[in-house]
Amino acid sequence: MSRYYLISLVFLLMVSPLYGDDGLTAFREAMQSFKAGNYSEAMTAFERAEALGMAKPALYYNLGVVYYRLEHWERAIAAFKKTADYPKMAPLAYYNLGLVKRKQNDLVAARDWFERTLETTQDAKLSQLAGRALDNLPKKSAAWNHFLSVGLGYDDNVTLESDASAVASEESDIFYELFGFTQGLLSGSYRDGLLFRGSLFGDIYAEQSDYSLLEGNLGLYKRLPIHSWESEGGIYTTYSTLGGEPYLSSGNLVLDLRREITEGMKIRLRIRFKAFYSLDQESEGLEGQVFNLRGEGIWAVSGTGSRIRSYYQLELNDREDIETETTFTSLSPTRHTLYLDYRKALTPDWQLKTSGSYRRSRYNEENVDSTGLSKTRTDKRLKLAFELSRRHIWNNLQLALEYRYTDNDSNIDSYSYSRNTLMINLMNSF
């Protein structure tokens, strides 16, 4: 641990309002014992200062340091979490929590805390320490990363939102959601290496099984630094089923560019080309190409435990569409999406996330119905979401409760709908 920060915290306590002479005397005795290397005596004196009514982040931090030196890991975690309740001290507390988890050989949690330090601090020295700690984690633990999420939810209007031809069922249902992800470093390092990624996503409905969607994803990605940018290019394929039957597959090319602009602010540019292939007759109209361009910004708000993320995305579709002898349905929209989310650490373990997006879709050709009337379809979709999550409920297990609201307004009535979903998720990284 850095002595620079320890001295700074002692100074902060000395110039702040005091909680009585007895508490201050106990704290000073603790510091004298600490400097002399008598950590057991220091622990007793710090605990006495707290019992006498002293409640300061410097006290909790120094208690954490003493517990760390004495290898009382769980008590150190509790002390550093109390320190993190003070927003200005949170990044430093996160860093020390990472040190404790590293000592406990919980390398996944250690990486998580060090990364949270980098996300929230604007202190160059602390950022350097956290970055070095991440680099020094054993390579074997970082070579492969896995994530698994299982959830149970309620949907009051089952809709396949990813399908431009689908309409809302106007039926409610219980659903199960599954997401699994794996990433492996095949060669080099995470800065300039070759990576493998695979994922599986599924929404399985109890009664509205025709809307049950499963999608698998496999790909290879190459990272390469270009001047001040981190770049990643990849090629991947997807395969999906709908209602238990083959649905769509795709081939994809993607290029990601990332750069840190200032301390706590990053930008990202993503370009993706996707070619869809139909696996059944009902989805033939969705065959074709999609081009995506996204510009994204991420801001870590110093000293608050907060993060803001925003992006704009342009999507250009060129699909086969659906044509009969008397009707035509365009499935090729041009879409503009604005997205914003805000994450706030309520405590070291509890986090609140709110997000919202607005998407405007204008289809490239006029729809023609059975009566011969034609109209160019235009949709405006608003999505809002609120998520409360609890980290480390047991080892790396996390719990999240999420509410989503969707309102799609279309100038063709059959595509207009509103939707509410409520879901509880269990997540684990390993």
Side-chain angles (χ1 to χ4, degrees), residues 236-303:
Y236 65 96
T237 182
T238 67
Y239 178 92
S240 63
T241 64
L242 182 63
E245 301 294 332
Y247 179 44
L248 289 170
S249 66
S250 71
N252 304 262
L253 295 172
V254 63
L255 174 64
D256 264 309
L257 297 170
R258 305 183 187 192
R259 181 180 180 182
E260 186 171 25
I261 300 300
T262 62
E263 194 78 35
M265 179 177 179
K266 299 177 182 179
I267 60 172
R268 176 184 179 188
L269 177 66
R270 187 183 75 177
I271 303 170
R272 184 176 70 182
F273 175 79
K274 175 178 287 191
F276 279 106
Y277 304 95
S278 172
L279 300 177
D280 72 339
Q281 291 184 347
E282 293 185 3
S283 61
E284 285 182 351
L286 292 170
E287 284 193 340
Q289 295 80 43
V290 180
F291 174 80
N292 281 329
L293 176 64
R294 178 186 292 188
E296 181 177 318
I298 301 174
W299 298 267
V301 184
S302 176

Side-chain angles (χ1 to χ4, degrees), residues 326-327 366-375:
T326 58
T327 65
E366 291 185 338
N367 283 6
V368 180
D369 65 21
S370 58
T371 67
L373 293 177
S374 61
K375 181 182 290 188

Side-chain angles (χ1 to χ4, degrees), residues 92-106:
L92 178 59
Y94 296 157
Y95 171 72
N96 284 280
L97 285 164
L99 295 179
V100 176
K101 285 298 181 180
R102 187 173 65 182
K103 284 291 188 180
Q104 292 181 310
N105 204 33
D106 188 347

